């Protein structure tokens, strides 16, 4: 894959709180850069959210609208959410992971994928933009949860 970016951040809140919020697709647009909407368009086999569920996201990246569908490939509530794109402009693999840390929660997001063909030349620039956006995502996740903690 042309892009493989991982960002980490220690969030000074319990993993149960951080992971529950971040892994809930209904909050995607609140803390994830560029996402305007997220919708559960295919429930898991047993219903609800889990392995096999599909979430359709509408995002804007470099001012361009992107609609894509992520299928849950692996799901360990409060610890791991691994999704692969099954619809959209480019292949993508997104992993959220959360673990206990002495100062709260170590949150990690990894994105793999990216353009093929002629766009492959732009992979270094795209990787930089993805890293920047993911760093902002984790910062915004912390702010959102901290504000909520404080009653805001």
């Amino acid at each position: 894959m042309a892009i493989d970016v991982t960002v980490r951040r220690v969030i000074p809140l319990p993993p149960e709180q951080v992971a529950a919020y971040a892994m809930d697709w209904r909050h995607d647009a609140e803390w994830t850069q560029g996402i305007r909407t997220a919708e559960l368009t295919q429930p898991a086999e047993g219903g609800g959210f889990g392995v096999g569920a599909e979430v359709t996201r509408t995002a804007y990246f470099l001012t361009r609208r992107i609609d894509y569908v992520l299928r849950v490939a692996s799901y360990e509530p409060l610890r791991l959410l691994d999704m692969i794109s099954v619809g959209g402009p480019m292949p993508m693999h997104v992993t959220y992971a959360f673990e206990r840390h002495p100062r709260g929660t170590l949150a990690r997001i990894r994105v793999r994928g990216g353009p093929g063909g002629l766009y492959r030349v732009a992979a270094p620039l795209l990787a930089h933009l993805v890293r920047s956006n993911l760093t902002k995502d984790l910062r915004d996740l912390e702010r959102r949860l901290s504000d909520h903690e404080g009653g805001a």
Side-chain angles (χ1 to χ4, degrees):
M1 298 213 173
I3 295 172
D4 189 345
V5 175
T6 301
V7 296
R8 295 169 182 80
R9 183 180 185 100
V10 174
I11 298 175
L13 295 166
E16 299 80 13
Q17 181 181 0
V18 176
Y21 184 89
M23 295 168 103
D24 185 336
W25 59 269
R26 291 169 288 210
H27 298 296
D28 286 353
E30 297 169 4
W31 68 278
T32 307
Q33 299 300 307
I35 293 182
R36 298 295 191 269
T37 63
E39 178 183 358
L40 182 66
T41 49
Q42 172 76 40
E45 190 172 311
F49 189 79
V51 174
E54 294 180 1
V55 174
T56 300
R57 290 175 166 177
T58 297
Y60 285 83
F61 188 71
L62 299 175
T63 70
R64 187 166 174 232
R65 179 184 166 138
I66 301 170
D67 295 304
Y68 60 100
V69 180
L70 294 174
R71 179 178 295 146
V72 177
S74 182
Y75 181 57
E76 298 173 33
L78 305 182
R79 196 184 93 60
L80 178 79
L81 173 58
D82 191 49
M83 302 173 288
I84 57 170
S85 63
V86 293
M90 65 184 94
M92 187 173 14
H93 192 143
V94 180
T95 305
Y96 298 149
F98 305 91
E99 58 188 74
R100 195 164 300 285
H101 185 275
R103 294 190 324 261
T105 302
L106 175 60
R108 184 179 79 236
I109 304 175
R110 181 180 184 195
V111 173
R112 292 171 280 165
L118 295 175
Y119 291 110
R120 189 174 302 270
V121 177
L125 174 61
L126 288 174
H128 174 75
L129 292 171
V130 168
R131 180 176 308 284
S132 176
N133 281 349
L134 294 178
T135 298
K136 290 175 188 172
D137 288 347
L138 289 179
R139 179 204 63 209
D140 290 351
L141 175 62
E142 179 177 346
R143 283 184 183 164
R144 177 91 112 158
L145 291 170
S146 295
D147 287 350
H148 190 286
E149 269 291 288

